[in-house]
Amino acid sequence: MRPRRPLVFMSLVCALLNTCQACRVHDDKPNIVLIMVDDLGIGDLGCYGNDTIRTPHIDRLAREGVRLTQHVAAASVCSPSRAAFLTGRYPIRSGMVSSGNRRVIKNLAVPAGLPLNETTFAALLKKQGYSTGLIGKWHQGLNCDSRSDHCHHPYNYGFDYYYGMPFTLVDSCWPDPSRNTELAFESQLWLCVQLVAIAVLTLTFGKLSGWISVPWLLIFSMILFIFLLGYAWFSSYTSDLYWDCLLMRGHEITEQPMKAERAGSIMVKEAISFLERHHKEPFLLFFSFLHVHIPLPTTDDFIGTSKHGLYGDNVEEMDSMVGKILDAIDDFGLRNNTLVYFTSDHGGHLEARRGHAQLGGWNGIYKGGKGMGGWEGGIRVPGIVRWPGKVPAGRLIKEPTSLMDILPTVTSVSGGSLPQDRVIDGRDLMPLLQGNVRHSEHEFLFHYCGSYLHAVRWIPKDDSGSVWKAHYVTPVFQPPASGGCYVTSFCRCFGEQVTHHNPPLLFDLSRDPSESTPLTPATEPLHDFVIKKVADALKEHQETIVPVTYQLSELNQGRTWLKPCCGVFPFCLCDKEEELSQPQGPNEKR
């Protein structure tokens, strides 16, 4: 029988063509690395004008990419801002807002969270064949009905792999000098409980079988002892440290409470490991820093190294971690086919202080800070995009852009399509980044404080360069003229702690970026025209808002049965970090 060489040859050719086609498909789909810092002020970086805090790695990223100077968050606090970032939609649309003073996910014992019917950029890219990972802060909820249902876990929003903190840093997370002692004591206490429980079961079985004769009072007393011991242990741990300051890998709690100063370093290692595992296929990595949120857990290598105390030390440590991630991208040969984006979730926290020490960020020339829904200091954030060969290096873009733009942008470059069943407020940035258009696609941007509209930005589609901003509501500073709300720690959105303006305060940010002098009909001929234009746009916008449940109001109340637990409740302390290696999520593709 003659050998079938032509058939074998054709099979090899087809296999080669298929391989080449797969390579081309991969080449058409860039890897995407999104880096978000927590509470970073726009004035904290060298590339945005700071000459005393050293951020060489972020500055290099800016030189190698495009720097956005009017990049704004959709909210001035964590949970709603991140919800908007993930979904490309104002948080008022998803219900990630509050009509009260608690404007973020309160703790891990609340059923509030990003609604499951929302579509994130991770879900959209997963449909395009991307491996998707989230490392770091989540703060979009965790449980709904029980402490282990994890209904709001990142896996339910398109992420294949997760390692990080499901909540956010709070003051009690660091320092924790008694952590090691408590872990050791609980392990012995839990052993004692197990031994007593085994004794109860043995005595009960023996008595029912007639093998031994013991009074039921003794057995019931031992059961009561177990419950009293558990209650005493639970009631002694009222601090957020034990229930909110924890780390998870996938669905497993690995540290409770976490060792906060080492968490950042572990997360960088996780990120590098993710890049190594997926460098041969298109991937999305969202690296969500715990830095530079209070209490600023910092390793000894960086404490005391900056000119700005613990906050400056923490910023410089964060920059070094950014450098390690960028180096890993280069080491794996991914530089030219990786879109890297860097930002902060909102402005720096002006009121974060301990004594006379400033523990929050600097927002440069911009008025206000974290928690202020309208003033620029609360919502203007760094925005850097690097994609060699696709985005020109060293370019400066002064057009208004938004964190909500990331979803349509990464969807576009991945070859995906946007959901058609909902309003997407973000816009594809690529035409602007590549210089194919001169102006932002945004004509109006709406600035909320919780569920309350505070300001509107209008970007006319002309060459005037004006960017008008009308403030309908502004916070009352405490003390007056202090520029912050130092009595309440955060500015309020409503009630006696705000001032309503009719007509609204009007500024042209192109001439007055610090929002220092409101315009009047006497000083600005276009004043009345602009006010009417903005009012009409606001009315049109409000007609597109569909009423939904406010997650951060009605559902933002703690339930004891939702508190996460590493062990058997209430014996929940653990540290599995040393036991685990080569992490892989159950949903993750190799």
PDB file of all heavy atoms in Angstrom, residues 87 119 124 406-412 416-422 424 426-428:
ATOM      1  N   THR A  87     -18.105  48.914  35.611  1.00  0.00           N
ATOM      2  CA  THR A  87     -19.284  48.767  34.752  1.00  0.00           C
ATOM      3  C   THR A  87     -19.387  49.800  33.644  1.00  0.00           C
ATOM      4  O   THR A  87     -20.195  49.624  32.723  1.00  0.00           O
ATOM      5  CB  THR A  87     -20.572  48.839  35.582  1.00  0.00           C
ATOM      6  OG1 THR A  87     -20.673  50.150  36.175  1.00  0.00           O
ATOM      7  CG2 THR A  87     -20.572  47.796  36.690  1.00  0.00           C
ATOM      8  N   THR A 119     -22.803  44.281  34.270  1.00  0.00           N
ATOM      9  CA  THR A 119     -21.777  43.670  33.433  1.00  0.00           C
ATOM     10  C   THR A 119     -20.474  44.432  33.585  1.00  0.00           C
ATOM     11  O   THR A 119     -20.442  45.653  33.383  1.00  0.00           O
ATOM     12  CB  THR A 119     -22.201  43.669  31.950  1.00  0.00           C
ATOM     13  OG1 THR A 119     -23.420  42.944  31.811  1.00  0.00           O
ATOM     14  CG2 THR A 119     -21.138  43.027  31.078  1.00  0.00           C
ATOM     15  N   LEU A 124     -16.908  41.041  29.938  1.00  0.00           N
ATOM     16  CA  LEU A 124     -16.874  41.287  28.497  1.00  0.00           C
ATOM     17  C   LEU A 124     -15.601  40.722  27.868  1.00  0.00           C
ATOM     18  O   LEU A 124     -15.641  40.139  26.774  1.00  0.00           O
ATOM     19  CB  LEU A 124     -16.985  42.790  28.217  1.00  0.00           C
ATOM     20  CG  LEU A 124     -18.326  43.432  28.604  1.00  0.00           C
ATOM     21  CD1 LEU A 124     -18.271  44.935  28.401  1.00  0.00           C
ATOM     22  CD2 LEU A 124     -19.466  42.831  27.790  1.00  0.00           C
ATOM     23  N   ILE A 406     -12.949  53.293  30.766  1.00  0.00           N
ATOM     24  CA  ILE A 406     -12.088  52.117  30.639  1.00  0.00           C
ATOM     25  C   ILE A 406     -12.858  50.916  30.117  1.00  0.00           C
ATOM     26  O   ILE A 406     -12.353  50.158  29.288  1.00  0.00           O
ATOM     27  CB  ILE A 406     -11.409  51.812  31.988  1.00  0.00           C
ATOM     28  CG1 ILE A 406     -10.529  53.007  32.391  1.00  0.00           C
ATOM     29  CG2 ILE A 406     -10.555  50.551  31.903  1.00  0.00           C
ATOM     30  CD1 ILE A 406      -9.555  53.476  31.311  1.00  0.00           C
ATOM     31  N   LEU A 407     -14.089  50.722  30.556  1.00  0.00           N
ATOM     32  CA  LEU A 407     -14.857  49.569  30.058  1.00  0.00           C
ATOM     33  C   LEU A 407     -15.034  49.623  28.537  1.00  0.00           C
ATOM     34  O   LEU A 407     -14.698  48.656  27.846  1.00  0.00           O
ATOM     35  CB  LEU A 407     -16.202  49.465  30.771  1.00  0.00           C
ATOM     36  CG  LEU A 407     -17.067  48.300  30.292  1.00  0.00           C
ATOM     37  CD1 LEU A 407     -17.733  47.584  31.451  1.00  0.00           C
ATOM     38  CD2 LEU A 407     -18.152  48.781  29.315  1.00  0.00           C
ATOM     39  N   PRO A 408     -15.542  50.698  27.959  1.00  0.00           N
ATOM     40  CA  PRO A 408     -15.672  50.704  26.495  1.00  0.00           C
ATOM     41  C   PRO A 408     -14.328  50.668  25.774  1.00  0.00           C
ATOM     42  O   PRO A 408     -14.230  50.118  24.676  1.00  0.00           O
ATOM     43  CB  PRO A 408     -16.443  51.993  26.194  1.00  0.00           C
ATOM     44  CG  PRO A 408     -16.346  52.812  27.416  1.00  0.00           C
ATOM     45  CD  PRO A 408     -16.176  51.889  28.559  1.00  0.00           C
ATOM     46  N   THR A 409     -13.282  51.212  26.400  1.00  0.00           N
ATOM     47  CA  THR A 409     -11.969  51.219  25.751  1.00  0.00           C
ATOM     48  C   THR A 409     -11.387  49.816  25.653  1.00  0.00           C
ATOM     49  O   THR A 409     -10.965  49.382  24.584  1.00  0.00           O
ATOM     50  CB  THR A 409     -10.995  52.140  26.517  1.00  0.00           C
ATOM     51  OG1 THR A 409     -11.524  53.468  26.559  1.00  0.00           O
ATOM     52  CG2 THR A 409      -9.629  52.157  25.851  1.00  0.00           C
ATOM     53  N   VAL A 410     -11.365  49.083  26.768  1.00  0.00           N
ATOM     54  CA  VAL A 410     -10.786  47.734  26.728  1.00  0.00           C
ATOM     55  C   VAL A 410     -11.688  46.780  25.951  1.00  0.00           C
ATOM     56  O   VAL A 410     -11.205  45.816  25.330  1.00  0.00           O
ATOM     57  CB  VAL A 410     -10.497  47.198  28.147  1.00  0.00           C
ATOM     58  CG1 VAL A 410      -9.502  48.103  28.859  1.00  0.00           C
ATOM     59  CG2 VAL A 410     -11.754  47.019  28.973  1.00  0.00           C
ATOM     60  N   THR A 411     -12.990  47.037  25.961  1.00  0.00           N
ATOM     61  CA  THR A 411     -13.889  46.219  25.145  1.00  0.00           C
ATOM     62  C   THR A 411     -13.580  46.411  23.668  1.00  0.00           C
ATOM     63  O   THR A 411     -13.534  45.450  22.890  1.00  0.00           O
ATOM     64  CB  THR A 411     -15.353  46.586  25.433  1.00  0.00           C
ATOM     65  OG1 THR A 411     -15.630  46.376  26.826  1.00  0.00           O
ATOM     66  CG2 THR A 411     -16.305  45.742  24.604  1.00  0.00           C
ATOM     67  N   SER A 412     -13.314  47.642  23.285  1.00  0.00           N
ATOM     68  CA  SER A 412     -13.000  47.945  21.888  1.00  0.00           C
ATOM     69  C   SER A 412     -11.694  47.297  21.443  1.00  0.00           C
ATOM     70  O   SER A 412     -11.645  46.627  20.405  1.00  0.00           O
ATOM     71  CB  SER A 412     -12.920  49.464  21.692  1.00  0.00           C
ATOM     72  OG  SER A 412     -12.449  49.790  20.403  1.00  0.00           O
ATOM     73  N   GLY A 416     -14.425  43.151  21.396  1.00  0.00           N
ATOM     74  CA  GLY A 416     -15.741  42.859  21.931  1.00  0.00           C
ATOM     75  C   GLY A 416     -16.761  43.919  21.570  1.00  0.00           C
ATOM     76  O   GLY A 416     -16.465  44.886  20.849  1.00  0.00           O
ATOM     77  N   SER A 417     -17.961  43.757  22.078  1.00  0.00           N
ATOM     78  CA  SER A 417     -19.030  44.732  21.844  1.00  0.00           C
ATOM     79  C   SER A 417     -19.698  45.058  23.171  1.00  0.00           C
ATOM     80  O   SER A 417     -19.755  44.228  24.082  1.00  0.00           O
ATOM     81  CB  SER A 417     -20.061  44.183  20.852  1.00  0.00           C
ATOM     82  OG  SER A 417     -20.597  42.950  21.320  1.00  0.00           O
ATOM     83  N   LEU A 418     -20.216  46.270  23.276  1.00  0.00           N
ATOM     84  CA  LEU A 418     -20.837  46.733  24.508  1.00  0.00           C
ATOM     85  C   LEU A 418     -22.251  46.176  24.651  1.00  0.00           C
ATOM     86  O   LEU A 418     -22.925  45.912  23.653  1.00  0.00           O
ATOM     87  CB  LEU A 418     -20.890  48.261  24.526  1.00  0.00           C
ATOM     88  CG  LEU A 418     -19.546  48.982  24.551  1.00  0.00           C
ATOM     89  CD1 LEU A 418     -19.758  50.491  24.459  1.00  0.00           C
ATOM     90  CD2 LEU A 418     -18.769  48.635  25.810  1.00  0.00           C
ATOM     91  N   PRO A 419     -22.715  45.997  25.885  1.00  0.00           N
ATOM     92  CA  PRO A 419     -24.102  45.568  26.094  1.00  0.00           C
ATOM     93  C   PRO A 419     -25.072  46.578  25.480  1.00  0.00           C
ATOM     94  O   PRO A 419     -24.869  47.791  25.583  1.00  0.00           O
ATOM     95  CB  PRO A 419     -24.229  45.527  27.617  1.00  0.00           C
ATOM     96  CG  PRO A 419     -22.839  45.450  28.134  1.00  0.00           C
ATOM     97  CD  PRO A 419     -21.983  46.168  27.147  1.00  0.00           C
ATOM     98  N   GLN A 420     -26.104  46.076  24.861  1.00  0.00           N
ATOM     99  CA  GLN A 420     -27.088  46.940  24.216  1.00  0.00           C
ATOM    100  C   GLN A 420     -28.357  47.112  25.049  1.00  0.00           C
ATOM    101  O   GLN A 420     -29.270  47.838  24.642  1.00  0.00           O
ATOM    102  CB  GLN A 420     -27.453  46.356  22.845  1.00  0.00           C
ATOM    103  CG  GLN A 420     -26.278  46.244  21.894  1.00  0.00           C
ATOM    104  CD  GLN A 420     -25.632  47.589  21.607  1.00  0.00           C
ATOM    105  OE1 GLN A 420     -26.302  48.543  21.206  1.00  0.00           O
ATOM    106  NE2 GLN A 420     -24.319  47.676  21.813  1.00  0.00           N
ATOM    107  N   ASP A 421     -28.405  46.456  26.211  1.00  0.00           N
ATOM    108  CA  ASP A 421     -29.625  46.481  27.015  1.00  0.00           C
ATOM    109  C   ASP A 421     -29.550  47.478  28.166  1.00  0.00           C
ATOM    110  O   ASP A 421     -30.392  47.450  29.057  1.00  0.00           O
ATOM    111  CB  ASP A 421     -29.914  45.086  27.566  1.00  0.00           C
ATOM    112  CG  ASP A 421     -28.795  44.578  28.477  1.00  0.00           C
ATOM    113  OD1 ASP A 421     -27.678  45.147  28.428  1.00  0.00           O
ATOM    114  OD2 ASP A 421     -29.039  43.610  29.224  1.00  0.00           O
ATOM    115  N   ARG A 422     -28.548  48.350  28.149  1.00  0.00           N
ATOM    116  CA  ARG A 422     -28.381  49.307  29.242  1.00  0.00           C
ATOM    117  C   ARG A 422     -27.614  50.524  28.749  1.00  0.00           C
ATOM    118  O   ARG A 422     -26.961  50.479  27.699  1.00  0.00           O
ATOM    119  CB  ARG A 422     -27.635  48.654  30.405  1.00  0.00           C
ATOM    120  CG  ARG A 422     -26.193  48.262  30.067  1.00  0.00           C
ATOM    121  CD  ARG A 422     -25.654  47.253  31.049  1.00  0.00           C
ATOM    122  NE  ARG A 422     -26.407  46.013  30.966  1.00  0.00           N
ATOM    123  CZ  ARG A 422     -26.451  45.106  31.931  1.00  0.00           C
ATOM    124  NH1 ARG A 422     -25.778  45.292  33.051  1.00  0.00           N
ATOM    125  NH2 ARG A 422     -27.158  43.997  31.794  1.00  0.00           N
ATOM    126  N   ILE A 424     -24.529  52.825  28.759  1.00  0.00           N
ATOM    127  CA  ILE A 424     -23.112  52.851  29.104  1.00  0.00           C
ATOM    128  C   ILE A 424     -22.662  54.303  29.043  1.00  0.00           C
ATOM    129  O   ILE A 424     -22.751  54.949  27.991  1.00  0.00           O
ATOM    130  CB  ILE A 424     -22.267  51.984  28.139  1.00  0.00           C
ATOM    131  CG1 ILE A 424     -22.729  50.518  28.198  1.00  0.00           C
ATOM    132  CG2 ILE A 424     -20.782  52.093  28.480  1.00  0.00           C
ATOM    133  CD1 ILE A 424     -22.509  49.839  29.529  1.00  0.00           C
ATOM    134  N   GLY A 426     -19.565  55.513  29.806  1.00  0.00           N
ATOM    135  CA  GLY A 426     -18.192  55.705  29.377  1.00  0.00           C
ATOM    136  C   GLY A 426     -18.084  55.784  27.864  1.00  0.00           C
ATOM    137  O   GLY A 426     -19.006  55.420  27.128  1.00  0.00           O
ATOM    138  N   ARG A 427     -16.932  56.256  27.374  1.00  0.00           N
ATOM    139  CA  ARG A 427     -16.661  56.391  25.947  1.00  0.00           C
ATOM    140  C   ARG A 427     -15.318  55.753  25.612  1.00  0.00           C
ATOM    141  O   ARG A 427     -14.391  55.768  26.430  1.00  0.00           O
ATOM    142  CB  ARG A 427     -16.645  57.868  25.539  1.00  0.00           C
ATOM    143  CG  ARG A 427     -17.957  58.599  25.791  1.00  0.00           C
ATOM    144  CD  ARG A 427     -19.058  58.100  24.873  1.00  0.00           C
ATOM    145  NE  ARG A 427     -20.315  58.836  25.056  1.00  0.00           N
ATOM    146  CZ  ARG A 427     -21.304  58.448  25.831  1.00  0.00           C
ATOM    147  NH1 ARG A 427     -21.189  57.317  26.539  1.00  0.00           N
ATOM    148  NH2 ARG A 427     -22.419  59.152  25.930  1.00  0.00           N
ATOM    149  N   ASP A 428     -15.215  55.214  24.424  1.00  0.00           N
ATOM    150  CA  ASP A 428     -13.969  54.603  23.964  1.00  0.00           C
ATOM    151  C   ASP A 428     -12.892  55.683  23.844  1.00  0.00           C
ATOM    152  O   ASP A 428     -13.045  56.658  23.091  1.00  0.00           O
ATOM    153  CB  ASP A 428     -14.208  53.927  22.609  1.00  0.00           C
ATOM    154  CG  ASP A 428     -12.967  53.239  22.056  1.00  0.00           C
ATOM    155  OD1 ASP A 428     -11.931  53.188  22.752  1.00  0.00           O
ATOM    156  OD2 ASP A 428     -13.043  52.739  20.915  1.00  0.00           O
TER     157      ASP A 428
END
